[in-house]
Amino acid sequence: MNPKIRTEFFGGIIFDPELRITAYVDKNFMRKLGYNEFPDLDHLSAPEVVHVEVTKRCNLHCRHCYVNAGCCDELSFNQLKELIDIVAGMNVFQIAFGGGEPFCREDFLDIAKYAYDRDIVPNVTTNGVSIKTDKLDLFGQINVSLDGADRETYLRVRGCDAFDKAINTIKTLAGSYDVGINVVVTKYNFENLHDIMKLAEELEVNEVMLIRLKPIGRCKEVYDELRLTENQLQRFEAKIRSLLNYEVIVKVDCAFMPFLTPDDNVLIGMQGCDCGISSLAVKANGIVTPCSFLSQSLGFYKDLKDIWHNMSREFKVEVCSGCPKYYICRGGCRVFADKYGKDSECPISRI
Amino acid sequence: MRVYKVKLGYMPDSSGGFGFGMMLLFYPIIIAMIASGCIYAAYISGAFGEKDESEDKD
């Protein structure tokens, strides 16, 4: 797949799928590349990535599931093709396919192939239970959910046991494809994150993605049980920094931003909530939302382009005004702000 | 010319994650990647080729 170049109000974005980099560059840089006209916008001309929930069906019933996966309406193959056409027309770089469990859809690989053929990098997150292990070359990256380095922890967090299947899937895929591991960080696996990193190294995966538990979907019922303790929250940053010594990239959910200290490293590589800034989400029923974790409807997928340009990007959390971290944290995760008026666990806003 | 921001890797998840610590660990590699990426991008767009040729003639 060839690199994509997009002019933006500040200059442009270069996305190179082979090198796996997305670079924001200034107008002078773009002029060197032969681009001399720039859009008169105050936001990106299109998202970098659109999250597409292809189904809410799932072959597991995890107790912390943020979408309360199970059943319900989903877009048809033709509707998803139409959505992908719209996304391709906007020059979006990547689609993050999720669910539910995407591989519960018999036509999922055809959907992903359609995106690939439209020059969009398809990525997917799966529980690894029923993934077909061939014909996956088209994916940029495949992330498998694994909430513990051992069965006991996995079961304790998720409430259902697919540990062996997930491990076998990772082992099978890691030799041939770019594979990552998704970990929802809870009080039960926080102390064992080093074990997960060691396992990731052993399984030769590319990255470990640490995801913050959110009080939505089925997780509302178990949030208080699974959430990190006060002591663990205080040790969070030190713990994350201690994970950087492995030969596996550590990625951190933007919802963890309030717990991390901005430093030079942060300034270059980190940022807070991306809702409406560089990403957008489409639910299984075609409803567009600012983020896959939010249920706030912005409209139907057919209007995705208009929604992107006209959506509100104002996200003010009153208690965060004046906070020195706001410019990079952006008020933390909207899931928490919507529910509690602020990030109820932020170590700064609680003072 | 400035590079404002660089993101590494793909985005397979719905959590908008960023690579913690990657920029320090991989900084030299990133610089090389940016350079080669942009050169490739320029090659694809044909922007550098003609310009460089005309400058050589001058």
Side-chain angles (χ1 to χ4, degrees):
Chain A
M1 209 178 274
N2 290 329
K4 281 188 175 181
I5 303 174
R6 243 172 40 192
T7 53
E8 302 290 351
F9 66 92
F10 55 84
I13 307 178
I14 299 167
F15 172 66
D16 191 323
E18 301 302 323
L19 295 172
R20 300 158 55 104
I21 66 165
T22 307
Y24 284 51
V25 300
D26 69 3
K27 288 181 178 175
N28 284 338
F29 211 128
M30 290 301 287
R31 288 190 186 103
K32 284 280 185 186
L33 298 181
Y35 296 87
N36 295 303
E37 292 184 12
F38 304 94
D40 183 20
L41 296 169
D42 62 355
H43 55 273
L44 294 187
S45 61
E48 280 181 51
V49 60
V50 174
H51 304 289
V52 178
E53 184 185 275
V54 288
T55 183
K56 281 188 79 172
R57 283 180 277 160
C58 190
N59 42 18
L60 292 180
H61 193 80
C62 302
R63 59 190 189 135
H64 64 2
C65 178
Y66 74 91
V67 297
N68 196 11
C71 68
C72 302
D73 293 342
E74 59 191 36
L75 297 180
S76 67
F77 181 52
N78 282 337
Q79 286 176 309
L80 281 164
K81 280 168 65 178
E82 185 184 17
L83 166 63
I84 291 166
D85 285 340
I86 294 168
V87 169
M90 293 172 72
N91 209 2
V92 170
F93 306 136
Q94 304 181 60
I95 291 181
F97 287 112
E101 168 53 39
F103 286 91
C104 280
R105 271 190 84 124
E106 295 72 21
D107 56 3
F108 175 58
L109 285 178
D110 296 325
I111 296 164
K113 174 75 165 53
Y114 191 78
Y116 181 85
D117 288 343
R118 297 301 314 266
D119 259 357
I120 301 170
V121 173
N123 305 301
V124 62
T125 295
T126 173
N127 59 27
V129 170
S130 61
I131 187 169
K132 297 170 181 69
T133 52
D134 57 347
K135 298 180 182 174
L136 301 176
D137 285 343
L138 51 93
F139 288 103
Q141 187 163 311
I142 303 161
N143 272 23
V144 180
S145 303
L146 191 75
D147 292 337
D150 57 83
R151 175 181 287 101
E152 187 188 348
T153 309
Y154 182 102
L155 185 58
R156 208 170 180 197
V157 174
R158 298 175 81 97
C160 53
D161 185 8
F163 179 76
D164 285 341
K165 287 181 178 173
I167 290 285
N168 285 336
T169 297
I170 295 168
K171 278 182 184 169
T172 306
L173 298 181
S176 310
Y177 308 106
D178 287 343
V179 176
I181 289 176
N182 278 8
V183 183
V184 178
V185 182
T186 70
K187 74 175 181 187
Y188 294 134
N189 58 20
F190 181 81
E191 308 300 344
N192 308 112
L193 289 177
H194 280 281
D195 294 333
I196 292 177
M197 294 302 295
K198 286 174 196 164
L199 182 63
E201 245 181 12
E202 190 183 310
L203 295 173
E204 296 183 340
V205 306
N206 286 2
E207 67 180 38
V208 169
M209 173 79 183
L210 302 176
I211 299 170
R212 187 175 175 189
L213 188 74
K214 299 176 182 71
I216 47 174
R218 274 202 287 280
C219 189
K220 276 191 287 195
E221 308 300 323
V222 292
Y223 184 74
D224 285 338
E225 178 201 335
L226 295 178
R227 59 178 282 190
L228 295 177
T229 64
E230 290 296 318
N231 178 273
Q232 288 172 333
L233 283 173
Q234 284 170 16
R235 292 186 287 124
F236 182 80
E237 179 160 21
K239 171 71 87 174
I240 300 303
R241 287 185 187 273
S242 74
L243 301 177
L244 300 179
N245 297 323
Y246 296 91
E247 289 182 11
V248 176
I249 291 171
V250 180
K251 277 193 175 173
V252 185
D253 180 354
C254 52
F256 276 128
M257 194 66 227
F259 305 97
L260 303 170
T261 308
D263 54 22
D264 288 346
N265 199 19
V266 171
L267 292 175
I268 306 170
M270 293 184 175
Q271 56 195 4
C273 175
D274 258 348
C275 290
I277 307 290
S278 63
S279 69
L280 207 56
V282 181
K283 296 287 189 185
N285 59 4
I287 295 296
V288 180
T289 60
C291 160
S292 58
F293 291 108
L294 293 168
S295 53
Q296 173 201 348
S297 171
L298 300 175
F300 201 46
Y301 78 90
K302 288 173 184 282
D303 301 316
L304 192 80
K305 190 171 180 179
D306 288 338
I307 289 170
W308 174 256
H309 286 298
N310 297 315
M311 68 184 286
S312 168
R313 290 176 170 81
E314 286 290 310
F315 176 48
K316 287 184 180 169
V317 181
E318 206 58 44
V319 72
C320 298
S321 61
C323 176
K325 275 180 69 176
Y326 184 77
Y327 74 105
I328 195 162
C329 170
R330 298 178 189 147
C333 177
R334 290 190 194 190
V335 168
F336 290 85
D338 282 356
K339 193 172 174 68
Y340 305 112
K342 63 175 185 176
D343 190 328
S344 51
E345 293 165 4
C346 170
I348 298 176
S349 72
R350 281 190 307 174
I351 296 171
Chain B
M1 293 194 297
R2 284 185 63 194
V3 175
Y4 293 123
K5 181 161 65 176
V6 177
K7 297 180 183 180
L8 283 183
Y10 297 121
M11 288 180 256
D13 190 75
S14 41
S15 308
F18 45 79
F20 187 81
M22 284 198 306
M23 298 307 289
L24 284 185
L25 292 173
F26 293 90
Y27 192 70
I29 302 169
I30 289 165
I31 295 302
M33 288 164 82
I34 292 168
S36 58
C38 290
I39 289 166
Y40 187 32
Y43 171 73
I44 293 295
S45 70
F48 279 157
E50 289 179 16
K51 193 174 181 183
D52 287 347
E53 271 179 28
S54 61
E55 281 172 1
D56 287 346
K57 284 172 189 170
D58 290 340

